[in-house]
Amino acid sequence: MIQELFGPLKRKFTEMNLPWGTLIDQGQLGAELAAHREDWRAEGTDKGKAIVIEREACSDYLRWIRREILDAYEEKIGQAGGIDLQVIGVGGRGHVAFHESGIPFAGHRMLLVQLDENTVANAVADGHFASRAESPRYAVSMGVELVYEAKEVVLLASGNRKTDPVAESLLAEPSPAVPISYGQIYARKGGRLTYVLDRAAAGEVLRQAEKVRRQGIEIEDVSGPGVFQRALDFPFFRDPETSQLG
């Protein structure tokens, strides 16, 4: 984040806050999870699992992670008045942040996640880590309920790996199998949601453009040579004064 966003900004932010996962020692976390199996449970239907730590865990270390890493981050967002604009990417299986495919929507606003091997492999392939051995196996992240609590959400996606999850998130029923499909729930509640896609990521949406439009989703080519914008708009759930997306 420092290299790609915060550093290059001409006008710097007064304060920057990232999920505090770097404070967690991955080796110690693994050892505590193994030694205190009664202190936590794993939730999720796929290989990536949410590690839910009991509020009154016996392990001081696990209890500290829940209180000072997970709960404290959500509390700080609340104290700041919430998030105005959330800009998100999407993983190859439709996950947002580290809300992995198969982790339930409800009850996972802040997540400690045991990562799917596919996520680890992609992190290496994308150049974030030199090898699987160097890649973390656990991550701290906002879950979709908290991500989509922002006043406005912009989702960015590019490349063929994102084609199917982008289409599923718009054309199928919302499901934890495709976490970004929570955006449909968000839009129906009045949230302002925009997809910004290149031609590859938009491929299946374009092939089914008429079906997409019948669902009340606006499609607009704003590219010039190659970027598409997808705006989810469910006007029958919204105030007439605010239903129009720019």
Side-chain angles (χ1 to χ4, degrees):
M1 293 300 295
I2 292 170
Q3 176 180 310
E4 302 296 338
L5 176 60
F6 302 150
L9 287 174
K10 291 183 179 179
R11 183 176 178 181
K12 307 302 183 184
F13 294 128
T14 301
E15 182 178 3
M16 296 168 288
N17 293 282
L18 302 175
W20 302 314
T22 52
L23 297 180
I24 298 173
D25 181 281
Q26 299 256 327
Q28 185 175 357
L29 172 58
E32 291 290 323
L33 291 174
H36 298 277
R37 188 61 187 83
E38 72 285 354
D39 280 352
W40 60 278
R41 65 186 185 277
E43 293 191 0
T45 59
D46 215 322
K47 294 179 181 179
K49 304 288 188 183
I51 304 299
V52 182
I53 300 170
E54 299 295 338
R55 191 170 298 278
E56 301 302 326
C58 294
S59 164
D60 290 339
Y61 194 68
L62 294 181
R63 197 168 61 251
W64 170 78
I65 290 174
R66 169 156 186 161
R67 184 182 65 249
E68 300 298 335
I69 304 295
L70 303 176
D71 293 348
Y73 194 76
E74 180 179 356
E75 288 167 7
K76 188 159 190 178
I77 291 172
Q79 290 165 4
I83 295 172
D84 293 320
L85 173 65
Q86 188 85 268
V87 180
I88 60 176
V90 53
R93 303 182 71 189
H95 64 270
V96 56
F98 286 110
H99 193 126
E100 296 272 30
S101 175
I103 294 175
F105 291 151
H108 295 93
R109 293 170 61 79
M110 281 298 298
L111 291 165
L112 172 65
V113 182
Q114 183 176 13
L115 297 176
D116 183 347
E117 283 299 319
N118 182 69
T119 300
V120 174
N122 288 335
V124 175
D126 292 342
H128 301 303
F129 300 97
S131 67
R132 286 174 176 263
E134 293 183 20
S135 177
R137 291 299 196 242
Y138 299 92
V140 172
S141 171
M142 286 191 280
V144 293
E145 281 194 327
L146 189 53
V147 167
Y148 286 93
E149 207 170 74
K151 296 181 179 68
E152 182 168 357
V153 177
V154 176
L155 182 146
L156 310 178
S158 61
N160 293 326
R161 189 154 53 94
K162 313 302 174 65
T163 305
D164 289 340
V166 163
E168 289 177 42
S169 75
L170 301 179
L171 296 169
E173 288 298 311
S175 166
V178 183
I180 59 168
S181 66
Y182 190 90
Q184 293 189 45
I185 299 171
Y186 169 76
R188 289 169 183 159
K189 292 179 178 178
R192 181 180 170 101
L193 174 60
T194 301
Y195 279 28
V196 181
L197 314 174
D198 70 1
R199 293 183 186 277
E204 187 61 27
V205 170
L206 295 176
R207 281 189 287 273
Q208 302 195 54
E210 287 308 310
K211 183 177 179 181
V212 170
R213 289 189 177 99
R214 285 197 299 270
Q215 293 186 205
I217 300 169
E218 298 177 5
I219 300 178
E220 181 184 359
D221 181 352
V222 296
S223 60
V227 180
F228 280 82
Q229 181 180 34
R230 302 288 170 266
L232 259 71
D233 186 18
F234 294 82
F236 43 87
F237 284 98
R238 301 169 76 175
D239 188 297
E241 296 297 319
T242 61
S243 63
Q244 182 63 42
L245 293 184

